[in-house]
Amino acid sequence: MTRNLFARTRTRALSVAAAAVLAASLTACNGSSSSDATSERDAEVVNSAPAADGAIDELNWGVPFGEPPSVDPAAGGDSSANLIKANVCEPLLRLNDDYTISPALAESWEYSDDNLTLTFTIRQDVKFSDGTPMTVEDVRYSLARNLDPELASTWASSVYGNVKSVTAQGDDKVVVSFNAPDSLFVKAMSITAGLVSEKAYVEKAGSAYGTASGGLMCTGPYAIASWQSGSGMTLTANPHYWDEKFTPHAKTVNLKFITEASSLVQGLESGSLDGSYDVPPGSIASLRKTGSVYQGPSPQMLQIYPNAGAMDDVKLRQAVNLLIDRTAVAEQIYHGTAEPMYTFTPKLLWGDGADTLQSALDELDKPEKVDLDEAKKLIESMDNPPTELTMAIIAGHEQMRLTSALLQESLKKVGIALTIKPIQPAENVAYFTDPAAREGVDLIMNTGWSAVPDYLFYARRVVVPEGRFNLLGYENSTVTQLVEKAAQTFDEPERAETFAEAEATFTPEVPLMPVANPREVSFVRKGLGGLTTSFAYVYHPSLATIGATK
């Protein structure tokens, strides 16, 4: 049952002052008032664009999150890094554009009766881009290196934390053994946690593997031909590629590292770029003049992380949560290309648990309107309420800037001054890995997504004490027990029911403040098509299918 901590009828609309902030900000950003902003609410949401039917010599593609420090499969990374990895390397399983999973480097997979071992049957007709045949030892090594503490793989705890061993059997089998049943692991083999590299190449490259000097050696449709640090990267078609479905249409792909939204839009409008993912929603109308804009389903989230300190008080977290105008963010700031979010389990990931999870969401008391009165009551009931808070946002991210301005105005109405601290994208990772980096910061606004295509994965990283994104130090023994039980459950109805029970407990305690679920917005110039338009593009050979259309 849901605990009714938010049981109020909320009818208060966006305050006049907050609306003025939003209108002024949109005017500065788009040259129009918020009332003039075009909403994309009713736009068709699709998983892919019409297929390409012709080859092209060259594709110039924008990479809007800049140059990744590494594209090693074991390293973390944003969508820029993942786009590169997904087109140069391949995982054991394929995440399709509709978020289903199918065979890739593994032809099949099977859990044992006790769910303590998982056996993959590996393809025998695959070569790396240097022409070397892929072996089961390459596969075993690629998975097992995530267990090496010296490597410090980003997947060491979140995906491989329950793995006891990875072994090769014969010429075509790789067996993963677990300390306890793990329902998430097989899905994780469709993302970068399951990518396969050439063992001999990795050992020779050492710590440089995945960098501009070390490169990558994988089996994907493209290979890295050159990496111009600070500028871009050139990919060339892999002559040894095995999967006809993803045989590259473009012989060469020039990736351009871009960090400013205005530069990305300028490149797309001028034609110097043929396309890009993660296009700013405010540019959709102008970009339609030169090409096609698509909106696809996505598990991305705009969210606010409470940091340990003042936000330890659940009443303060609840109050701040009540002051977020999610409807205004989705409809105006994202121009209708987002949905308001009230719990951090994006619907795209619900799968066979959708009916159960929808019912659970319907039962939650959701802050669907800004409620200044209730927020004031919560703050006034605190023993020592703060008069100021600091929130970090990513510099240059317009949606974060506008959303933080709205929240700043609402907090002012309840007697709290919010200082907004822009940080550079390069600093972002440190804020989630180093407590000292976020010292003096109470809230962190960020965008992210569930890497593993499952509703349980991201929540587990926030609400379990050792979770990577549990910046608050949130701990509830009931929640931990239920989440771990769900992770060990393979019967989907039971699994979803167990998670829904955990969700009913942790949501009112606000360990994280979900704000919006943006769609994936992509663009391709006239005469091109075939791109994956769902957010699966980050784990899918999405550049290989882009080519000429009649």
Side-chain angles (χ1 to χ4, degrees), residues 271-402:
S272 62
L273 294 174
D274 296 316
S276 177
Y277 289 106
D278 299 299
V279 171
S283 66
I284 291 176
S286 63
L287 287 175
R288 285 202 176 107
K289 300 173 184 177
T290 56
S292 299
V293 179
Y294 296 96
Q295 294 185 42
S298 170
Q300 294 179 94
M301 298 167 279
L302 176 69
Q303 52 214 349
I304 299 173
Y305 295 84
N307 189 28
M311 302 308 300
D312 290 345
D313 193 317
V314 66
K315 292 180 180 179
L316 181 59
R317 300 200 301 273
Q318 291 168 354
V320 174
N321 201 43
L322 289 171
L323 297 174
I324 302 170
D325 194 324
R326 292 165 171 84
T327 300
V329 172
E331 291 291 342
Q332 298 179 56
I333 292 176
Y334 277 93
H335 298 264
T337 67
E339 301 291 337
M341 281 197 76
Y342 303 98
T343 186
F344 40 103
T345 52
K347 293 184 178 182
L348 179 60
L349 307 179
W350 287 2
D352 292 339
D355 290 344
T356 298
L357 296 175
Q358 182 62 60
S359 296
L361 179 61
D362 291 342
E363 292 181 7
L364 291 175
D365 295 307
K366 300 179 286 295
E368 296 177 327
K369 300 285 186 181
V370 170
D371 193 335
L372 289 172
D373 292 338
E374 179 61 14
K376 283 181 180 178
K377 290 178 183 178
L378 286 165
I379 293 169
E380 289 170 356
S381 69
M382 294 174 60
D383 292 334
N384 187 26
T387 58
E388 57 184 5
L389 294 171
T390 298
M391 182 165 69
I393 67 171
I394 304 299
H397 194 293
E398 278 302 296
Q399 286 73 39
M400 288 190 200
R401 184 180 71 81
L402 296 171

Side-chain angles (χ1 to χ4, degrees), residues 351-499:
D352 292 339
D355 290 344
T356 298
L357 296 175
Q358 182 62 60
S359 296
L361 179 61
D362 291 342
E363 292 181 7
L364 291 175
D365 295 307
K366 300 179 286 295
E368 296 177 327
K369 300 285 186 181
V370 170
D371 193 335
L372 289 172
D373 292 338
E374 179 61 14
K376 283 181 180 178
K377 290 178 183 178
L378 286 165
I379 293 169
E380 289 170 356
S381 69
M382 294 174 60
D383 292 334
N384 187 26
T387 58
E388 57 184 5
L389 294 171
T390 298
M391 182 165 69
I393 67 171
I394 304 299
H397 194 293
E398 278 302 296
Q399 286 73 39
M400 288 190 200
R401 184 180 71 81
L402 296 171
T403 301
S404 62
L406 277 181
L407 181 58
Q408 184 181 50
E409 187 64 28
S410 293
L411 279 165
K412 182 180 178 180
K413 294 293 185 182
V414 297
I416 297 176
L418 179 65
T419 298
I420 299 170
K421 179 183 179 181
I423 62 173
Q424 295 304 312
E427 300 176 79
N428 191 39
V429 173
Y431 269 66
F432 289 90
T433 57
D434 181 6
R438 56 181 184 266
E439 187 174 346
V441 171
D442 303 294
L443 301 163
I444 301 172
M445 184 180 290
N446 216 294
T447 55
W449 69 91
S450 176
V452 175
D454 186 275
Y455 58 82
L456 180 60
F457 179 77
Y458 194 84
R460 197 181 187 192
R461 304 188 86 183
V462 176
V463 301
V464 173
E466 62 272 17
R468 180 178 180 183
F469 299 133
N470 187 356
L471 309 186
L472 184 66
Y474 173 81
E475 184 170 3
N476 182 308
S477 59
T478 299
V479 170
T480 300
Q481 291 169 9
L482 288 169
V483 167
E484 293 309 317
K485 178 183 177 182
Q488 296 180 29
T489 300
F490 285 75
D491 178 78
E492 185 51 50
E494 180 184 352
R495 185 171 180 265
E497 288 285 356
T498 301
F499 178 74

Side-chain angles (χ1 to χ4, degrees), residues 203-218:
E203 291 182 332
K204 184 177 180 180
S207 61
Y209 188 64
T211 67
S213 61
L216 284 177
M217 186 53 63
C218 298

Side-chain angles (χ1 to χ4, degrees), residues 146-168:
N146 290 283
L147 300 172
D148 182 357
E150 292 188 8
L151 180 64
S153 168
T154 192
W155 308 115
S157 61
S158 61
V159 171
Y160 288 86
N162 192 31
V163 172
K164 182 188 298 182
S165 64
V166 183
T167 58

